[in-house]
Amino acid sequence: MTILLSKPGLDGHDVGVKVLAYALKDAGFNVIYTGLRKSIEEIVAQAEVVNADMIGLSILSGTHLILCQRMQEVLDERGIAIPWLVGGNIPHGDKGAIEGFGAVAAFPTGTKVDEVISFLKEFQME
Amino acid sequence: MSSQEKKTDGDKSFDASVNDVKKVLLESGIEVKPLYTREDMQDSEADQSIPGQYPFTRGIHSEMYRKRPFTIRQYAGFASPEETNKRFKFLIENGQTGLNVAFDLPTQCGFDSDDPRTLGEVGRVGMSVDTLDDFEIAFDGIDLDKITVSLTINGTAIVLMAMYFALAEKRGYDVKTLRGTAQNDILKEFIGRGTWIFPVDSSVKLVVDTVEYCANHVTKYSPVSVCGYHIRESGANPVQEMAYAFCIAKAYTDETLKRGVDIDEFASRLSFNFDIYGNLFEQIAKFRGGRRLWAKIIREDYNAKNDKSSWMRMIAGGGGGGLTKEQPENNIIRSAYYALISALSGTQTMALCSYDEAYTIPTEKAAELSLRTMQILIHEMGICDTVDPLGGSYYVEALTDRFETEIQKEMKTVEALGGIVEAVASGKIQEKVSHQAYDREKGIQTGEIPKVGVNMFQKDEDPKPVEFHPYNVDAANYQIEKLQRIKNDRNGEKVQSCLEKLREDCLQNVNLMPTVIEAVKAYASVGEIIQVMKDVYGEYEEPIFF
């Protein structure tokens, strides 16, 4: 399973996404990380190029609602059906809204790496 | 494992005899003995060390806080310059003696508020600045010669510093009297925090432009605050935090010397920003040992004559990496300990993370609690009565010596990578610290690294609760409209000629500061100025190591 991890928007806090990248690699996933400051359009384009099975967004600046809404819009505009999820500084209260946009999961602040791995393994089985 | 089991486990080791206690390793890899005695201090320089005298192990001043307590400087500033101005006035009325300005990400990354790439970011994590007009509003009614202002800005620091100096000039101050600090440490942005713009070499050139300019014109201003802080937050251990910061400070120093500026003309204006979390004694020794080593580097390697040049002046506090989302009120207690550590380490300035920072921009209540934490320490705890109260402790002195040695060793490993500029450009440092961050995360999840409320003494909590600072869409729109108005009202020809001059300066490789000051006075925007520099220097390409 290939996962494209990315940092959309201008937020430069990348400790979490790098920790997740190492953890997912150790758990046997194929991980590609885009680096910082990517637009949603760039992320979707790269996901297509690398044939990603999942896109993971990491957002800590508080811009998650706006960026997540945009994420689904861009996928729909281009007719692409790659599942996506988001983590970072996400309040519990925003989880529903993000999943409503079309995310397969939204991991709130304080989520353990193992929870993400378990989710992905289950997702893979389905 | 339940919290009950953990507790019993802890009690057992307490009762054990000295011979079978388990090995204690500090985060920096230094082993701690169960007991320290006079024997451990035999080679120590502690006996000769006098505060205010070289090598300043015990503090850079002879009387330290007896004469004046550390400066309290909480990080503040959000949304519009108008709102920020109100917050500043609130903090000043509450006894704060320095302001620490946070900027939004568009300002930090060099985009104007009306740029499509700033979607949802305008005014979100700090004050939004497009033109000098925003500075005029934010500092309205604030005496620039009575307060020290710290600008937390890096990638666009040369522009924001130019705005601050231009503002002071316009308001009739002599810039030679201005005191304050710009963070302006771009090398650490490549390791952590991520607001880089240009390739590494050009980025360093811009920092050096500001150092050279300040040495000649704004002589009391501190143009760079080298940040071990974010390096530590990115996964570095305390020894690496100091070592990488010193390597970075040396890189700026070497480049400034090449411009023909004397070491004593600028070294005293370089300062540091360090992190505090983890083992109390390890942090204190880190600062004492680091302070001694930095003094030696500046005096012995750079032949500085002035004592002040070799002072490791610092802001120390924060500790975001130690705070937890679980049981957030515990962070109030942690922060109070971090404040104590900072004061026992002889800091010049202190800023604490507020207990809700794991979630959000601090609420007014949380920011006030941080302020009170530091005020209680100053006024009730006797922390200011005597200098370096831990000096002479067998353990603290032995650990201080050890830190000096270990930091030196780590600096040599950076040299072996080709120096800090090369090590950062290639991504080697980033790879190392982010892997350590992963190891630390694993340690917390397995319980190997104890964390109260996280892997011991947990309780079921409602996932709630902390008050969220709302994003003000109206303020963002107002900011965009204001920028449009200024672009219409300003003298467009003057702006264009300033930007052309800037392009020429970039190509000629001269100091850009004078031209940037002229450009901001003409109300050229941050985005316009940065775009000219991008045209000439290009942009940084992040090394990806996964």
Side-chain angles (χ1 to χ4, degrees), chain B residues 144-156:
Chain B
L144 301 185
D145 58 354
K146 296 231 166 58
I147 195 118
T148 63
V149 176
S150 173
L151 307 175
T152 304
I153 195 78
N154 295 277
T156 57

Side-chain angles (χ1 to χ4, degrees), chain A residues 9-12 15 18-19 21-23 25-26 33 35-37 61-63 66 89 91-92 109-110 112-114, chain B residues 106 111 119-121 124-125 193-196 233-234 325-326 358-359 431 434-435 438 445 463 468 542 544-546:
Chain A
L10 305 182
D11 167 32
V15 180
K18 286 177 175 172
V19 164
Y22 282 119
K25 277 183 80 172
D26 278 358
Y33 173 52
L36 296 178
R37 232 179 283 167
S61 66
T63 325
I66 295 166
N89 204 354
H92 271 268
T109 317
K112 307 278 183 282
V113 171
D114 287 348
Chain B
F111 298 113
L119 181 70
E121 311 267 19
R124 188 185 286 277
V125 299
R193 206 173 174 284
T195 69
W196 38 258
E233 291 284 313
S234 300
K325 172 230 163 215
E326 293 83 357
Y359 292 86
E431 187 172 4
S434 61
H435 202 276
Y438 174 48
Q445 302 216 350
F468 222 86
E542 191 182 352
I544 304 292
F545 37 84
F546 296 105

Side-chain angles (χ1 to χ4, degrees), chain A:
Chain A
M1 186 178 191
T2 297
I3 300 161
L4 182 82
L5 292 177
S6 188
K7 293 282 302 175
L10 305 182
D11 167 32
H13 293 89
D14 59 1
V15 180
V17 73
K18 286 177 175 172
V19 164
L20 184 65
Y22 282 119
L24 293 180
K25 277 183 80 172
D26 278 358
F29 294 97
N30 181 28
V31 178
I32 296 162
Y33 173 52
T34 65
L36 296 178
R37 232 179 283 167
K38 301 298 173 196
S39 70
I40 296 293
E41 290 80 356
E42 287 168 333
I43 295 165
V44 170
Q46 192 172 348
E48 265 205 303
V49 170
V50 302
N51 209 3
D53 302 300
M54 177 72 77
I55 300 172
L57 305 178
S58 162
I59 309 169
L60 282 85
S61 66
T63 325
H64 48 274
L65 289 177
I66 295 166
L67 290 171
C68 288
Q69 190 170 12
R70 185 78 195 124
M71 184 70 199
Q72 193 60 50
E73 277 170 16
V74 173
L75 287 170
D76 291 346
E77 279 164 18
R78 302 194 180 178
I80 297 167
I82 303 173
W84 58 282
L85 49 82
V86 62
N89 204 354
I90 311 290
H92 271 268
D94 289 345
K95 203 171 143 58
I98 294 170
E99 287 168 358
F101 293 141
V104 293
F107 296 103
T109 317
T111 302
K112 307 278 183 282
V113 171
D114 287 348
E115 295 171 43
V116 182
I117 292 172
S118 308
F119 174 85
L120 286 170
K121 284 190 171 156
E122 272 173 42
F123 190 86
Q124 209 172 1
M125 306 276 276
E126 281 166 18

Side-chain angles (χ1 to χ4, degrees), chain B residues 13-45:
Chain B
S13 72
F14 183 73
D15 290 338
S17 72
V18 172
N19 290 330
D20 57 350
V21 289
K22 69 174 188 208
K23 190 166 165 171
V24 173
L25 277 183
L26 296 176
E27 209 184 328
S28 302
I30 297 167
E31 188 173 353
V32 180
K33 302 198 294 184
L35 178 69
Y36 285 79
T37 65
R38 191 177 293 276
E39 299 285 301
D40 296 292
M41 277 179 59
Q42 273 180 347
D43 300 329
S44 175
E45 294 181 33

